[in-house]
Amino acid sequence: MKLKFRTFIIVLIISCISFTGCKQSSSDKLSSKDINAKIDKLIKSGHYDEAFVEIASAIDEKTADYDTKISLGWVYNYQKNYDKAQEILEEVVKDDTKNEEAYFALGVVYKNLKKYDDSIEMFNRAIELNPTNDKIYEYLANLYEEQQNYEKAKWAYNKAIEIQPSESLYYFSLSQIYLKLGDYKHSIENCEEALAKAPAEDKERIEQTLETIKLSQILKQN
């Protein structure tokens, strides 16, 4: 799942950037087409880290538009350069107060920096602008889970499911929350739902988890 998400983020970044504000050096004048081709080759060969480096180096922060800066913020976040990502994204939300993607990205960065209150504020602002983005609720649920605030995590995962009821990961994650709350019945129900909706490559792992939960329930009752 992590590999799929990483590929998705890279494709998303490239599709958003269009390389508005590309850097051009006198010694190496690569066109946007050349840069895209180079990055595409790196992605297809599995060199994701190098692809991110190329994306970051191709963008001129001074001339980049908001969408490009947000994409660059995602790049720095992936590279764990959270301070730089924060700097760029805070600049965007300061100037563009209606930018849902900027609030979402900044919320993720704050979460990685353990600035949980700030992260929650950013996620909530993003939700106000777009209450149908299930990914925001997923990250919000992750944050609440890290804080061991399982009731709020349960609420956030349920919101994500309302928006995207076909996503098996949300049911699986919610199952784990119920398990931490000692609610085996709902944990099993959600794990079974996750299994029913999961892609083939994830089914074995979910089946094993489901059997473990059922065994834990039996041991708890005895």
Side-chain angles (χ1 to χ4, degrees):
M1 284 189 179
K2 287 184 178 178
L3 182 59
K4 288 183 180 179
F5 178 72
R6 182 188 298 179
T7 305
F8 166 76
I9 287 295
I10 294 173
V11 172
L12 175 65
I13 288 169
I14 293 174
S15 66
C16 288
I17 287 175
S18 302
F19 292 105
T20 303
C22 268
K23 293 176 181 175
Q24 287 261 325
S25 67
S26 57
S27 60
D28 185 20
K29 293 185 178 180
L30 290 176
S31 67
S32 297
K33 183 178 180 181
D34 291 334
I35 294 169
N36 272 305
K38 185 176 182 180
I39 292 170
D40 184 59
K41 184 178 179 180
L42 287 169
I43 292 170
K44 288 179 178 178
S45 62
H47 295 85
Y48 299 106
D49 291 320
E50 293 177 42
F52 270 97
V53 170
E54 287 296 328
I55 292 169
S57 64
I59 297 171
D60 187 341
E61 293 174 32
K62 294 180 181 179
T63 60
D65 60 18
Y66 291 142
D67 288 341
T68 303
K69 287 182 178 180
I70 293 168
S71 298
L72 187 56
W74 281 116
V75 170
Y76 283 125
N77 178 74
Y78 172 78
Q79 294 176 328
K80 298 184 179 180
N81 189 345
Y82 302 130
D83 290 335
K84 187 64 177 176
Q86 177 183 332
E87 176 187 336
I88 292 171
L89 294 169
E90 283 181 346
E91 178 185 336
V92 176
V93 298
K94 179 181 178 181
D95 295 336
D96 186 4
T97 59
K98 299 295 183 182
N99 196 314
E100 169 219 340
E101 180 66 16
Y103 285 120
F104 176 38
L106 186 53
V108 173
V109 172
Y110 282 149
K111 178 178 178 290
N112 289 329
L113 287 167
K114 309 298 182 185
K115 297 181 178 181
Y116 292 125
D117 289 343
D118 291 333
S119 180
I120 291 170
E121 181 183 355
M122 292 301 104
F123 287 146
N124 284 332
R125 288 191 181 184
I127 288 169
E128 288 174 6
L129 293 167
N130 182 8
T132 62
N133 187 336
D134 54 296
K135 285 295 177 185
I136 303 173
Y137 285 107
E138 179 191 5
Y139 272 88
L140 189 56
N142 291 161
L143 188 156
Y144 284 135
E145 186 173 0
E146 284 185 22
Q147 292 183 308
Q148 298 184 352
N149 191 337
Y150 300 129
E151 287 297 334
K152 285 191 175 181
K154 182 173 69 174
W155 167 82
Y157 278 127
N158 274 312
K159 292 295 292 185
I161 288 170
E162 284 179 23
I163 298 166
Q164 190 59 264
S166 63
E167 178 52 70
S168 64
L169 176 62
Y170 298 157
Y171 294 96
F172 183 80
S173 299
L174 183 57
S175 170
Q176 298 304 298
I177 295 298
Y178 276 118
L179 185 61
K180 290 174 180 178
L181 288 169
D183 187 340
Y184 291 98
K185 178 177 180 295
H186 287 100
S187 179
I188 290 170
E189 286 177 359
N190 279 277
C191 200
E192 288 175 339
E193 194 68 34
L195 181 60
K197 298 178 184 300
E201 62 267 24
D202 292 334
K203 285 188 180 294
E204 182 178 353
R205 176 176 62 87
I206 297 174
E207 284 177 347
Q208 292 173 349
T209 301
L210 180 58
E211 291 306 312
T212 300
I213 297 171
K214 288 180 177 179
L215 179 59
S216 297
Q217 183 185 39
I218 293 170
L219 292 173
K220 183 73 173 179
Q221 291 171 344
N222 293 337

